[in-house]
Amino acid sequence: MDDIINTLSEAPLFATLTPSVLNDISKNAHPNAHKKGKILFIHGDPAEHYYIVKSGHIKLFRETVDGTQTIIDVLSQGNVFGHTLVFEENTYPYSAEIAESGIIISLPLSDLRDALYNDNTIAINMLRATTNRLRLREKELEHRSTQNASQRIACFFLRHTLQRKNDSLVIHLPYDKMLLAAHLGMQPETFSRALLKLKKDTGIRIEGSSIYLNTLDRLSSYVCSSCSERFPCNG
Amino acid sequence: MDDIINTLSEAPLFATLTPSVLNDISKNAHPNAHKKGKILFIHGDPAEHYYIVKSGHIKLFRETVDGTQTIIDVLSQGNVFGHTLVFEENTYPYSAEIAESGIIISLPLSDLRDALYNDNTIAINMLRATTNRLRLREKELEHRSTQNASQRIACFFLRHTLQRKNDSLVIHLPYDKMLLAAHLGMQPETFSRALLKLKKDTGIRIEGSSIYLNTLDRLSSYVCSSCSERFPCNG
DNA sequence: ATGGTAAATTGACTTTAATCAATTAGAAGT
DNA sequence: ACTTCTAATTGATTAAAGTCAATTTACCAT
């Protein structure tokens, strides 16, 4: 149980909460091991739980009648999802599937709802987090019109290295290329060709799912020239 | 001053607030008439005010070094913007320009900040509003990959008629076609041709900036087949 | 180790939208 | 009404990504 509280308090959403509030929120938390392919919920299901990723990867997506999938997001360790459905009787606005096996903690929305109405810090934290996410989406939307396929891939690499805060210029793709392609809004074939072009244009080295960057400078000038923000951004 | 309070209370963000809180928030509100082309603030400026549109249209946008603009949103009567910068020392994440002359009310972020930390309902309202906006962006992102130019235009028409809640099947474009094209993420030339195609495909009638729809059915089956939501959606 | 399955790549081709250039239509101001 | 400037349309062409099909590669289970 301490373990769960620890995981919770690592998320910015809950970081600043008092131990007693944290306890309230997590009293009905359950960690579950899930295998790749497992569906957690489907777009339109009544929302009763929200989740925290302890390990593995989750794919949030929606699909049209004819089966075309769009990836909303791919979440990894520490990310929270489903918590925006805290209001009233709500349904999930997307489906969630385990993309890489791992442990997911589920928590009842009702507990969060209670805490939210009682404790202003939770509301403030959630507002802050949601605003950040909104900013990310706006930037993503910008990128879809100003950046080509190769640039979007390179942008992902840059953001990925910045997030990890390590000086290493080696990237190990966190999940397979098909999913990454979908996440970046392109076909696998396009991804493959765009990555090749990126290699030619910037001199990065590619070995399977390991990418070796030479310098961040080279990449950032390749990418960020067609973005409204300067490198390094808070992507 | 009553006038200002009225405008404020029409926004969902402030609708449920008590008169005394509303008063606190609006005590330093100033309505200003602005002409088309006027810049309210620029991406990167320190954020000190947020705004409510009383009339006219505001274009929120960002631009890359080479001058390419991306439209984040086009706001009209009743919309609030800039309020998400309520936290700490922040800078505007986009620029705002008057797209159609009108009256804009400016309010200091500091007043909102004070109210936000004191009154949980404001935080909750803002969270709700921001979550809705996030959902819209997610859907927009989906549309960019699943819908073609004609469908995106038709989708705009549908959402526009639904919002107005009138039975009339006549649409008067709220702002000029160049801006609408940019808002939908396409070039003016593409817009022009896509509108022509939409006319051929669905039999709508176009007279300058007036669009006459025959039925919503025809349009919605044309559009919503490549969307993950059924018509009518909450777009 | 190996056979089977899915991912990834590559090629050929099509579709869609962007771009460049020219013309026409419209609106605002004098 | 006329000038002027900008918006809107249309045409011709190019560029980018999607699609369809065929291989090759990588990985998992036995």
Side-chain angles (χ1 to χ4, degrees), chain A:
Chain A
M1 207 60 190
D2 268 358
D3 192 31
I4 289 186
I5 302 235
N6 278 342
T7 308
L8 279 174
S9 59
E10 275 167 30
L13 207 54
F14 304 118
T16 58
L17 301 183
T18 64
S20 104
V21 175
L22 258 183
N23 251 312
D24 278 354
I25 284 188
S26 61
K27 63 182 179 239
N28 293 306
H30 291 292
N32 290 304
H34 292 295
K35 289 241 177 82
K36 179 172 179 169
K38 163 85 191 234
I39 305 278
L40 284 181
F41 53 77
I42 293 194
H43 180 193
D45 281 356
E48 283 165 12
H49 294 87
Y50 67 108
Y51 302 85
I52 301 183
V53 184
K54 197 160 158 51
S55 61
H57 286 282
I58 313 296
K59 173 175 86 171
L60 304 184
F61 67 100
R62 312 214 284 179
E63 45 192 353
T64 60
V65 232
D66 60 12
T68 313
Q69 278 195 5
T70 329
I71 306 303
I72 310 282
D73 212 344
V74 180
L75 306 176
S76 54
Q77 202 264 312
N79 287 140
V80 183
F81 62 105
H83 58 289
T84 52
L85 301 158
V86 70
F87 297 118
E88 65 255 1
E89 303 291 305
N90 245 328
T91 57
Y92 292 110
Y94 40 68
S95 308
E97 179 185 327
I98 308 289
E100 302 289 341
S101 305
I103 295 172
I104 314 292
I105 303 173
S106 76
L107 307 100
L109 280 164
S110 53
D111 289 349
L112 180 61
R113 188 177 305 132
D114 294 343
L116 177 68
Y117 285 104
N118 289 325
D119 185 352
N120 202 16
T121 20
I122 299 195
I124 304 254
N125 282 357
M126 284 187 69
L127 180 56
R128 200 180 248 121
T130 308
T131 304
N132 286 339
R133 195 149 279 269
L134 178 60
R135 289 283 112 75
L136 284 184
R137 289 286 162 276
E138 287 170 353
K139 203 193 287 187
E140 226 173 300
L141 218 29
E142 176 188 324
H143 287 355
R144 291 289 167 99
S145 20
T146 61
Q147 300 193 327
N148 61 31
S150 299
Q151 288 174 317
R152 294 216 297 281
I153 295 173
C155 181
F156 177 85
F157 290 164
L158 284 175
R159 282 179 287 124
H160 194 260
T161 55
L162 289 180
Q163 264 179 30
R164 318 208 108 212
K165 292 189 180 66
N166 54 4
D167 285 353
S168 157
L169 295 178
V170 190
I171 292 170
H172 297 282
L173 296 186
Y175 33 85
D176 59 57
K177 294 182 178 178
M178 279 190 80
L179 182 54
L180 183 51
H183 184 29
L184 298 174
M186 61 187 80
Q187 299 305 122
E189 296 96 327
T190 301
F191 179 91
S192 197
R193 288 186 256 258
L195 188 57
L196 208 69
K197 181 176 179 329
L198 181 64
K199 183 180 164 186
K200 277 205 216 87
D201 290 349
T202 67
I204 63 175
R205 196 156 56 83
I206 302 164
E207 283 178 18
S209 65
S210 298
I211 318 284
Y212 300 85
L213 315 181
N214 24 34
T215 59
L216 290 188
D217 285 12
R218 186 95 181 266
L219 264 196
S220 64
S221 76
Y222 183 78
V223 171
C224 307
S225 59
S226 43
C227 181
S228 64
E229 310 225 14
R230 302 293 94 228
F231 180 82
C233 65
N234 56 355

Side-chain angles (χ1 to χ4, degrees), chain B:
Chain B
M1 206 59 188
D2 269 359
D3 192 32
I4 290 185
I5 302 234
N6 278 343
T7 308
L8 279 174
S9 59
E10 275 167 29
L13 207 54
F14 303 118
T16 58
L17 302 184
T18 63
S20 102
V21 175
L22 258 183
N23 252 310
D24 278 354
I25 284 188
S26 62
K27 62 182 180 236
N28 293 307
H30 291 293
N32 290 303
H34 291 295
K35 290 240 175 82
K36 179 171 178 171
K38 163 87 192 233
I39 305 279
L40 284 181
F41 52 77
I42 293 196
H43 180 192
D45 282 354
E48 282 165 13
H49 294 88
Y50 67 108
Y51 302 85
I52 301 183
V53 184
K54 197 161 158 51
S55 60
H57 286 283
I58 313 296
K59 174 176 85 172
L60 304 185
F61 67 100
R62 311 214 283 180
E63 43 191 356
T64 60
V65 232
D66 62 10
T68 313
Q69 279 195 4
T70 329
I71 305 301
I72 311 282
D73 211 346
V74 179
L75 306 176
S76 54
Q77 203 265 310
N79 287 140
V80 183
F81 63 103
H83 58 289
T84 52
L85 301 158
V86 70
F87 297 119
E88 65 255 2
E89 303 292 307
N90 243 327
T91 57
Y92 292 110
Y94 40 68
S95 308
E97 179 185 327
I98 309 289
E100 302 287 342
S101 305
I103 295 172
I104 314 293
I105 302 173
S106 77
L107 306 100
L109 281 164
S110 54
D111 289 350
L112 180 61
R113 188 177 306 131
D114 293 343
L116 177 68
Y117 285 103
N118 289 325
D119 185 353
N120 202 16
T121 19
I122 299 194
I124 304 255
N125 282 357
M126 284 187 67
L127 179 56
R128 202 180 248 122
T130 308
T131 305
N132 287 339
R133 195 148 280 269
L134 177 60
R135 289 284 113 73
L136 284 184
R137 289 286 161 276
E138 287 169 355
K139 204 193 285 182
E140 227 172 299
L141 219 30
E142 176 188 325
H143 286 355
R144 289 290 167 99
S145 21
T146 60
Q147 301 194 327
N148 62 29
S150 298
Q151 287 175 316
R152 292 214 299 279
I153 295 173
C155 181
F156 177 84
F157 290 164
L158 285 175
R159 281 179 287 124
H160 194 260
T161 56
L162 289 181
Q163 264 178 29
R164 318 208 105 212
K165 293 189 178 67
N166 54 5
D167 285 354
S168 157
L169 294 179
V170 189
I171 292 170
H172 296 283
L173 297 185
Y175 35 84
D176 58 58
K177 294 181 178 177
M178 280 189 79
L179 181 54
L180 182 52
H183 184 29
L184 298 174
M186 61 187 79
Q187 299 305 120
E189 297 95 325
T190 302
F191 180 90
S192 198
R193 288 186 255 259
L195 188 56
L196 208 69
K197 182 175 180 330
L198 182 63
K199 184 180 165 185
K200 277 205 215 86
D201 290 349
T202 66
I204 63 174
R205 195 156 55 83
I206 300 164
E207 284 177 16
S209 66
S210 298
I211 317 285
Y212 301 84
L213 315 180
N214 25 34
T215 60
L216 290 188
D217 285 14
R218 186 94 179 267
L219 265 195
S220 65
S221 77
Y222 182 78
V223 172
C224 308
S225 60
S226 43
C227 181
S228 64
E229 309 225 13
R230 302 294 93 229
F231 180 82
C233 65
N234 56 356

